[in-house]
Amino acid sequence: MASKSVRTVTQKGAGNAVERNRQKLISAAKNSSDTKVLKSGAVVTYTGKCTGRSPGAKYIALDNLTADYIDWKNNQKCSESEFLSWLDRVDEYESTLKEIQCQTLYAGRDERHQIELSVRTSKAWQALFANNMFVRSRKAYDSALDKWTIHCHPDMHDVPKVLISFVWKKIIITGTHYAGEIKKSVFTVLNYILTAEDILPMHCSVNTDRNGKNSAIFFGLSGTGKTTLSADSDRILVGDDEHGWSGRGLFNFEGGCYAKVINLGKDTEPEIWDAVQAPGAVLENVVVTDEGIPMFDAKDHTENTRGSYPIFHIPNASETGLCDHPDNIIFLTCDAFGVLPPVAKLSTEEAVQHFLMGYTAKVAGTEAGVTEPVATFSHCFGAPFMPRPPEAYADLLREKIEKHSPTCWLVSTGWSGGEYGVGERMPIAVSRAVVNLIMSGELSGCEFYTHEHTGLSIPKSTSDENLNKYLAPEHSWNTLNAYSEAAKKLMKMWANRLDEMEIESESKQ
């Protein structure tokens, strides 16, 4: 048996000690054989065959805590004995390693609703990723913490495997180098635990104004603009991906961001451009020149190129990760059919409906065999990470909307003037104009009407003349008949999905 050293980074302190430990991780990651270093100092790695999550790889252990509460139609199960067998294999594997990176981190910026994470990995760059993504220290607070251990060993097995046990409070990740599995497995754990505390866990970004008021939630699946639209230099970023809504307000689950960086531009997304290239950032599957310059428009490895960085890389990030209850809730969708208007106001019931649908669309070419836009529905905008039945989260959302009265919006960042391949992607400037008008309160004061083709409530006009050109989507198409047919097709998909969800809900009762 080989001798083994365990590099332990315990981050219960604050200030200089945490920063020194972080610098050690950065140095270790840069010196690893499986990484490159950008000219700017960021770390670049390639994740091999797994360039994204492996949806079929995740299993939750069936035990006395989970048997009656997990949505087993949406989650795969393994027996407790199977989990323990894998845990034995992990222990045996770790005993053969010469070095293990081990850190104590935290998930949840609100220390009243926080769990402790012991992250153990054989990859220095993945240890740095975890350090980027989770909370690096905590103040002394009189509360007992749930303590979880993550064993992440990509080379231990050839087949991707993610196993979660709520009894043993352990997560096992093997067979995949894609670091997103680490963050999403922790998200899954919080999504199960926090609902029992009357907290709504959300796959969303959150920001506030510079006074910490006028907060906004941005729901959306990957590629809809959650990270881009919440990283606004005129507002404070609370977090870009995972949050909880408690009786006290909103709180970030993480201490960092994980941005999709394909086609990232300095002019269009300057905050993210700088953040992903700062020392300590980790870039996955980004092509780099011999001179150490990233080529963000290259898709040689995957279109799902990613960058992780601590939230303090964003200059206007919240120091606390906490804010008040939301004034606005924005449901983002990338409508590749080119049917939806850039913005619509939603009633409470419509908001809950869109939350349950979680609609966006895949574009042609993203998957083998996909030759035209394909509607994608992911309940709660994060079905793979929601262990409980969708109604459990939807009921919490309805209760919180009714209690705190935010204004709810549907914002499409997808195509205009035709579907993908015919029309053009909604300009970022237009989507930002929509969000700015929402935040200022001006949009709520506009006159709205019911859109004939979608049934949505959309504004007749705004003070932004460029945005006004996009408000009625049918006006951008070559013919009204072509738009009408596309709208009927999409609305039928929505109706069918709502019918399916109603049937699924009734079958569980």
Side-chain angles (χ1 to χ4, degrees):
M1 184 181 297
S3 62
K4 169 183 58 178
S5 66
V6 179
R7 289 194 177 180
T8 303
V9 181
T10 302
Q11 313 221 27
K12 294 183 179 179
N16 292 336
V18 171
E19 181 55 28
R20 284 195 300 271
N21 287 328
R22 178 170 170 76
Q23 291 303 318
K24 290 179 181 178
L25 285 174
I26 293 173
S27 178
K30 287 181 176 180
N31 292 326
S32 297
S33 60
D34 52 1
T35 61
K36 296 180 180 179
V37 181
L38 290 186
K39 189 175 181 179
S40 63
V43 175
V44 183
T45 191
Y46 303 101
T47 62
K49 63 182 179 181
C50 295
T51 57
R53 289 186 309 102
S54 302
K58 188 176 75 176
Y59 295 81
I60 296 175
L62 175 66
D63 51 45
N64 61 315
L65 289 182
T66 61
D68 297 330
Y69 299 102
I70 297 292
D71 177 12
W72 294 116
K73 287 187 177 181
N74 186 51
N75 294 272
Q76 298 181 107
K77 69 184 75 169
C78 68
S79 67
E80 189 170 11
S81 61
E82 286 176 302
F83 180 86
L84 291 175
S85 175
W86 269 94
L87 189 58
D88 286 342
R89 293 172 67 179
V90 167
D91 289 341
E92 182 179 351
Y93 178 79
E94 288 188 353
S95 72
T96 68
L97 297 175
K98 292 183 178 180
E99 182 176 275
I100 299 174
Q101 296 281 354
C102 183
Q103 300 178 81
T104 299
L105 300 163
Y106 304 90
R109 298 293 294 275
D110 187 337
E111 294 181 357
R112 293 166 178 79
H113 309 291
Q114 197 174 58
I115 63 174
E116 183 177 301
L117 304 172
S118 176
V119 182
R120 298 170 63 85
T121 178
S122 49
K123 299 291 182 181
W125 75 265
Q126 287 197 338
L128 179 57
F129 171 91
N131 189 274
N132 283 345
M133 296 310 304
F134 298 116
V135 183
R136 287 161 287 279
S137 65
R138 79 185 309 258
K139 298 175 183 176
Y141 190 78
D142 185 19
S143 65
L145 287 183
D146 246 358
K147 296 185 178 181
W148 282 73
T149 302
I150 303 174
H151 301 269
C152 185
H153 299 302
D155 297 326
M156 179 183 150
H157 198 256
D158 292 335
V159 179
K161 205 84 167 178
V162 180
L163 305 172
I164 301 173
S165 170
F166 286 92
V167 165
W168 293 92
K169 296 180 181 178
K170 291 181 182 291
I171 299 167
I172 298 170
I173 303 171
T174 65
T176 173
H177 290 75
Y178 181 68
E181 298 285 13
I182 300 173
K183 83 176 235 101
K184 290 305 185 186
S185 60
V186 173
F187 188 37
T188 301
V189 168
L190 291 173
N191 289 344
Y192 180 78
I193 292 173
L194 293 179
T195 50
E197 302 176 25
D198 200 32
I199 294 170
L200 174 62
M202 302 175 293
H203 186 208
C204 69
S205 56
V206 171
N207 68 18
T208 72
D209 65 21
R210 289 194 170 275
N211 296 315
K213 304 295 183 182
N214 190 19
S215 61
I217 293 173
F218 297 78
F219 284 109
L221 298 171
S222 177
T224 58
K226 278 200 327 299
T227 299
T228 299
L229 293 175
S230 58
D232 185 335
S233 59
D234 292 327
R235 291 175 62 81
I236 301 299
L237 178 67
V238 178
D240 84 321
D241 197 45
E242 300 168 4
H243 293 81
W245 188 352
S246 73
R248 300 172 68 237
L250 308 175
F251 65 98
N252 192 356
F253 286 170
E254 300 177 309
C257 303
Y258 193 43
K260 196 169 183 178
V261 296
I262 191 70
N263 297 322
L264 180 66
K266 186 174 184 178
D267 294 334
T268 55
E269 300 174 77
E271 294 86 7
I272 298 173
W273 172 276
D274 291 336
V276 298
Q277 295 185 76
V282 176
L283 291 170
E284 292 178 278
N285 300 310
V286 172
V287 177
V288 179
T289 67
D290 293 339
E291 292 75 29
I293 305 298
M295 300 173 64
F296 289 118
D297 58 344
K299 306 174 184 178
D300 298 33
H301 304 291
T302 177
E303 196 164 297
N304 187 37
T305 53
R306 292 278 178 173
S308 81
Y309 48 92
I311 198 166
F312 59 74
H313 278 193
I314 299 292
N316 57 316
S318 167
E319 293 184 3
T320 64
L322 308 171
C323 68
D324 291 338
H325 301 286
D327 293 272
N328 291 283
I329 298 177
I330 298 171
F331 297 91
L332 296 168
T333 182
C334 177
D335 175 34
F337 295 95
V339 167
L340 296 182
V343 62
K345 185 186 286 187
L346 304 176
S347 67
T348 297
E349 285 308 311
E350 286 174 327
V352 173
Q353 186 180 82
H354 279 279
F355 182 69
L356 281 170
M357 277 202 304
Y359 164 72
T360 192
K362 294 177 182 176
V363 298
T366 56
E367 292 184 8
V370 177
T371 57
E372 60 182 25
V374 176
T376 299
F377 299 99
S378 183
H379 63 250
C380 311
F381 293 93
F385 326 118
M386 302 295 174
R388 295 182 186 269
E391 295 80 11
Y393 306 104
D395 289 346
L396 275 172
L397 177 66
R398 180 184 288 105
E399 290 172 13
K400 293 186 182 298
I401 290 176
E402 290 175 347
K403 184 173 182 178
H404 301 289
S405 303
T407 307
C408 300
W409 308 90
L410 178 66
V411 172
S412 175
T413 60
W415 269 253
S416 174
E419 67 176 28
Y420 174 84
V422 178
E424 296 182 351
R425 184 78 187 261
M426 194 77 68
I428 291 178
V430 170
S431 298
R432 284 208 181 279
V434 168
V435 172
N436 289 340
L437 290 174
I438 289 173
M439 300 310 172
S440 70
E442 179 182 330
L443 201 57
S444 287
C446 291
E447 184 179 354
F448 285 76
Y449 71 98
T450 301
H451 187 237
E452 176 185 355
H453 302 279
T454 63
L456 294 168
S457 180
I458 67 175
K460 286 188 174 180
S461 67
T462 73
S463 61
D464 190 306
E465 292 301 325
N466 186 42
L467 169 58
N468 290 344
K469 294 185 245 181
Y470 294 87
L471 289 177
E474 63 270 26
H475 294 167
S476 300
W477 282 59
N478 289 332
T479 68
L480 180 59
N481 184 60
Y483 173 81
S484 178
E485 290 302 312
K488 288 177 183 177
K489 181 179 178 182
L490 179 59
M491 293 304 103
K492 184 176 181 180
M493 291 180 195
W494 281 16
N496 290 342
R497 179 56 188 151
L498 290 171
D499 288 343
E500 290 171 4
M501 289 191 301
E502 187 173 345
I503 293 171
E504 290 170 2
S505 178
E506 290 175 354
S507 70
K508 294 172 185 175
Q509 295 175 359

